[in-house]
Amino acid sequence: MSTHILGLDVGTTSVKAVLLETDTRAVTASHVLPTTSDIIDSSEIKAKEQDTGRIIDALNRCIGLLPRDKLQHVSSIGLSGQMHGVLFWKRESGCDWSNRDFFTARDTSQLITWQDGRCSSDFLSSLPKPDSHLSVATGFGCATILWYMKHRPEFLGGFTVAGTIQDYVVSMLCGLDGCVMTPQNAASWGFFNTSTDQWNIDILQGAGFPVTLLPQCVPSGGLAGKTCSDWHGIPAGTPVGAALGDFQCSVYSCMRARTDAVLNISTSAQLTFAMPADFRPPDSPHPASSISYFPYFDSSYLAVAASLNGGNVLATFVKMLTTWMKELDAELSDTYLYEKLIGCALNQETSDLRVSPTILGERHSPLCLGQVTNISASNLSLGHVTRALCRGVLDNITSMMPAERLQQAGVSRIVGSGSALARNEVLRQEVEKAFPQPVVYRQNADSAVGVAMVLCDRT
């Protein structure tokens, strides 16, 4: 029987598991499950945390839905997941393997996610400048740890190891005493120099940071270890890749040539292309720049315009309308309303209404919030507003990375992916208007497939 690679993605709202056949590189089985792990804590209004136990339970259930006979022939396991966030656990007691052949979380904190907003602008400005080309923002692992050092130092005293949620899973699968982390995830924490692949130890120590919590850095695309126990029929001793960033793996799954640019619109939105092999990022952050350079593979970089405003803007619009309707004693489901809005916008091919949809701000401009302009009595229909909102999402991402920049980089094609693009024909129409390059869509572009492809290509 042919062997498979198990690709896992631990996302913000769901987990996904895929089996990639090593010979054909075809996905032979896959499942997605929601984690329903968000924690609502009224005492910390800006906190964004998730229940670690629920995430691991969803991951176990998701893998359990894959064919057992194929799992028994898994040759390696790859993990990707949500970047920036941080999870704490205790060395040698971070999980319990006693429940059949899968582990449950134990002695861990909750996951503080990339959406956490506790690090205010004033707090961030009080931090030392990193020795890195990447700025530090709220929700970044190192910033979150520094926040705890200032506001709740006793919390950190109960833990000995820290990492992203995907790093935690790797550590538990391999029975590691500590945590290993690739530059892809380390860069997302801040205070990491991607040119030297080193943490800013001296700078962090000077700020009172508990540097013993910093993971050991290992190459992106390399192995972290081997499974320490049977896992859903996967034999003990199966190689496990060091966890990768979900963004990089999503790009890897659909970028067929270096002249491709990948546009992903899901919860948020990203537009990216590969920099030349000899490119090296600047020595220091440019906080006002809308383009960042993310570490990719083999010391290469992706130029990325990462917007906080994507499909979540459309979801907020739908939620606003449903809330208004409830206040008017009328009720429609979100799904029905979304479909009606798209239908109205398809009948409205253009609109002179202008919507700037940055309701969440942007990392390079956090105070720039949403606006609606050029309002007239003739452009207030649902078709006009929905069309203008979809165009606004594209106007925002192309303002961050203009089409001219893509042309200068030699980009000859736009590869569109993401759940928002897959389900929204109006958004796809606006994508094709926004770029002079041809646009192709790859609805199967995702991080779970990408991380499996990485291991298939490199092991």
Side-chain angles (χ1 to χ4, degrees):
M1 185 174 184
S2 59
T3 61
H4 288 77
I5 295 173
L6 175 63
L8 303 172
D9 180 59
V10 188
T12 306
T13 59
S14 64
V15 294
K16 183 170 186 177
V18 305
L19 286 171
L20 188 80
E21 193 173 46
T22 52
D23 292 338
T24 64
R25 291 167 59 94
V27 175
T28 60
S30 68
H31 278 287
V32 181
L33 285 179
T35 58
T36 59
S37 58
D38 285 350
I39 297 171
I40 307 300
D41 183 355
S42 58
S43 66
E44 289 279 6
I45 297 175
K46 294 185 178 181
K48 289 291 184 180
E49 298 184 4
Q50 295 181 337
D51 187 303
T52 305
R54 287 192 175 188
I55 296 172
I56 300 305
D57 178 64
L59 184 64
N60 277 308
R61 288 186 287 112
C62 193
I63 298 168
L65 294 170
L66 297 175
R68 188 84 173 186
D69 59 330
K70 289 184 171 65
L71 289 171
Q72 292 170 348
H73 292 86
V74 164
S75 60
S76 57
I77 302 169
L79 279 109
S80 71
Q82 51 176 302
M83 300 159 68
H84 307 295
V86 59
L87 171 70
F88 304 92
W89 64 94
K90 292 182 180 179
R91 196 180 309 275
E92 298 180 353
S93 64
C95 74
D96 180 5
W97 279 97
S98 64
N99 190 359
R100 299 194 304 276
D101 63 347
F102 60 89
F103 72 88
T104 54
R106 188 179 69 183
D107 292 337
T108 75
S109 71
Q110 308 298 4
L111 170 64
I112 300 100
T113 78
W114 61 275
Q115 297 172 311
D116 193 82
R118 277 174 283 198
C119 296
S120 65
S121 297
D122 287 343
F123 176 79
L124 291 170
S125 64
S126 73
L127 300 181
K129 292 183 179 180
D131 175 21
S132 170
H133 72 282
L134 294 168
S135 300
V136 178
T138 187
F140 283 31
C142 284
T144 299
I145 293 173
L146 286 165
W147 185 92
Y148 273 101
M149 284 300 301
K150 179 176 181 180
H151 298 282
R152 291 177 57 191
E154 72 285 352
F155 169 83
L156 296 177
F159 302 103
T160 56
V161 189
T164 67
I165 181 66
Q166 57 269 28
D167 293 322
Y168 166 76
V169 175
V170 168
S171 293
M172 297 307 105
L173 287 180
C174 298
L176 303 180
D177 288 340
C179 176
V180 296
M181 182 182 277
T182 61
Q184 293 181 3
N185 285 318
S188 78
W189 266 23
F191 292 97
F192 183 83
N193 188 304
T194 60
S195 297
T196 62
D197 286 344
Q198 298 290 326
W199 295 102
N200 298 170
I201 297 291
D202 292 342
I203 295 172
L204 289 171
Q205 281 182 324
F209 189 100
V211 295
T212 55
L213 288 176
L214 291 173
Q216 174 190 351
C217 189
V218 297
S220 299
L223 297 178
K226 296 182 178 181
T227 52
C228 62
S229 176
D230 289 354
W231 193 45
H232 295 280
I234 302 170
T238 301
V240 181
L244 301 172
D246 55 357
F247 175 73
Q248 287 90 338
C249 289
S250 177
V251 171
Y252 197 91
S253 73
C254 60
M255 184 181 281
R256 297 292 183 263
R258 294 190 66 86
T259 53
D260 286 346
V262 176
L263 172 67
N264 179 77
I265 306 180
S266 296
T267 303
S268 51
Q270 303 88 27
L271 178 58
T272 184
F273 62 87
M275 295 298 291
D278 60 352
F279 169 79
R280 292 296 175 264
D283 293 332
S284 59
H286 293 177
S289 174
S290 59
I291 297 177
S292 300
Y293 299 100
F294 286 11
Y296 196 39
F297 295 99
D298 303 320
S299 300
S300 67
Y301 290 83
L302 297 172
V304 186
S307 172
L308 299 176
N309 301 275
N312 49 8
V313 171
L314 297 165
T316 300
F317 178 55
V318 171
K319 180 61 68 176
M320 178 189 75
L321 293 179
T322 56
T323 300
W324 285 1
M325 294 178 71
K326 286 179 182 179
E327 292 173 354
L328 295 170
D329 296 324
E331 227 171 295
L332 291 173
S333 71
D334 287 0
T335 301
Y336 176 81
L337 186 55
Y338 187 89
E339 291 173 353
K340 292 294 288 184
L341 290 173
I342 298 305
C344 291
L346 288 173
N347 292 327
Q348 182 67 53
E349 295 183 0
T350 62
S351 176
D352 55 355
L353 188 68
R354 292 290 178 266
V355 176
S356 177
T358 51
I359 56 174
L360 299 174
E362 294 292 3
R363 288 197 176 103
H364 67 282
S365 183
L367 300 181
C368 182
L369 300 180
Q371 298 181 38
V372 181
T373 58
N374 206 44
I375 303 170
S376 69
S378 61
N379 63 13
L380 291 176
S381 70
L382 286 176
H384 272 282
V385 176
T386 305
R387 171 68 67 176
L389 184 57
C390 289
R391 188 183 64 240
V393 171
L394 266 298
D395 286 346
N396 181 54
I397 195 73
T398 55
S399 73
M400 295 172 66
M401 184 179 284
E404 295 78 15
R405 177 72 182 267
L406 298 177
Q407 289 176 317
Q408 291 168 3
V411 170
S412 61
R413 184 175 68 165
I414 308 296
V415 179
S417 69
S419 56
L421 274 183
R423 66 184 298 217
N424 188 331
E425 184 178 346
V426 180
L427 209 52
R428 294 195 297 273
Q429 290 177 354
E430 294 302 324
V431 168
E432 290 158 26
K433 294 176 185 176
F435 297 99
Q437 297 91 345
V439 181
V440 297
Y441 298 99
R442 298 192 185 279
Q443 295 183 19
N444 64 339
D446 65 57
S447 302
V449 173
V451 74
M453 291 172 61
V454 170
L455 283 184
C456 189
D457 290 342
R458 292 169 177 267
T459 58

